[in-house]
Amino acid sequence: EVQLVESGGGLIQPGGSLRLSCAVSGFTVSSTSMSWVRQAPGKGLDWVSVIYSGGSTYYADSVKGRFTISRDSSKNTLYLQMNNLRAEDTAVYYCARVLTFLGGTAGPSDYWGQGTLVTVSS
Amino acid sequence: DIQLTQSPSFLSTSVGDRVTITCRASQGISSYLAWYQQNPGKAPKLLIFAASTLQSGVPSRFSGSGSGTEFTLTISSLRPEDFATYYCQQFNSYPQTFGQGTRLEIK
């Protein structure tokens, strides 16, 4: 059974750092593309980042240079390192498995975690 | 960045109704579009990818169509469990983007 379980969220002051984890079971995290998507309270979905099986990464402009996506194959876990956090980063953060199409295009996500809430506030 | 605009943003409708939601892209995205359903406090659920391919396990009352810049999600006959918020997502280019969402409410 495929499961994704996020952890690491919490209350953090502006300018602070936080690392989110996404523990995966049912497939190998390094064998497929994985992404992070966030959702501010009462708002819509906001794509954050993707890591391909080959290691290439892409980021939303709003987080580029502040967030880093990575994975640990030995722990079968996906990470999101978030630095210099801002109030507008407050959201539920979801990790998700990405469908990969012919040619290697990373597509939509078919499995999602339950999300972890990050609140950036003084 | 590619902007996705959904219409309507809100729809009050009834069980048994046929519903169509539109997603328009600010530039052509071929068929690189997906649709999700989200219930309050839950993660999104993938319904359709590549504009018209039904995800495994999704009921056949859901269908998608379109290519280029205009896409539609149709629910042929609404059931009580379909009252939720629906999002489109483009994966033609980075950054990937979502539409603002369409909330279906029971009339």
Side-chain angles (χ1 to χ4, degrees), chain A:
Chain A
E1 182 192 6
V2 172
Q3 274 198 315
L4 296 83
V5 179
E6 301 96 336
S7 60
L11 176 63
I12 186 78
Q13 291 190 337
S17 297
L18 213 53
R19 188 178 79 159
L20 305 183
S21 300
C22 172
V24 170
S25 57
F27 66 95
T28 304
V29 71
S30 57
S31 68
T32 187
S33 300
M34 298 288 296
S35 70
W36 289 95
V37 174
R38 67 185 179 182
Q39 188 168 35
K43 302 297 184 183
L45 300 171
D46 184 28
W47 181 85
V48 173
S49 180
V50 66
I51 183 167
Y52 279 71
S53 57
S56 299
T57 59
Y58 294 86
Y59 298 91
D61 291 343
S62 59
V63 307
K64 202 174 295 182
R66 300 188 299 124
F67 290 12
T68 302
I69 189 171
S70 64
R71 64 193 178 210
D72 184 333
S73 301
S74 66
K75 297 181 179 178
N76 213 29
T77 299
L78 178 74
Y79 299 103
L80 186 68
Q81 177 67 42
M82 304 185 295
N83 298 330
N84 191 20
L85 282 160
R86 306 166 180 168
E88 54 265 35
D89 296 318
T90 294
V92 173
Y93 284 74
Y94 296 100
C95 65
R97 188 178 80 168
V98 174
L99 292 173
T100 304
F101 295 98
L102 287 173
T105 302
S109 294
D110 60 347
Y111 286 97
W112 297 64
Q114 84 289 349
T116 186
L117 176 63
V118 172
T119 303
V120 184
S121 175
S122 54

Side-chain angles (χ1 to χ4, degrees), chain B residues 30-31 50-52 64-72:
Chain B
S30 185
S31 297
S52 60
S65 66
S67 68
T69 62
E70 187 149 338
F71 302 85
T72 58

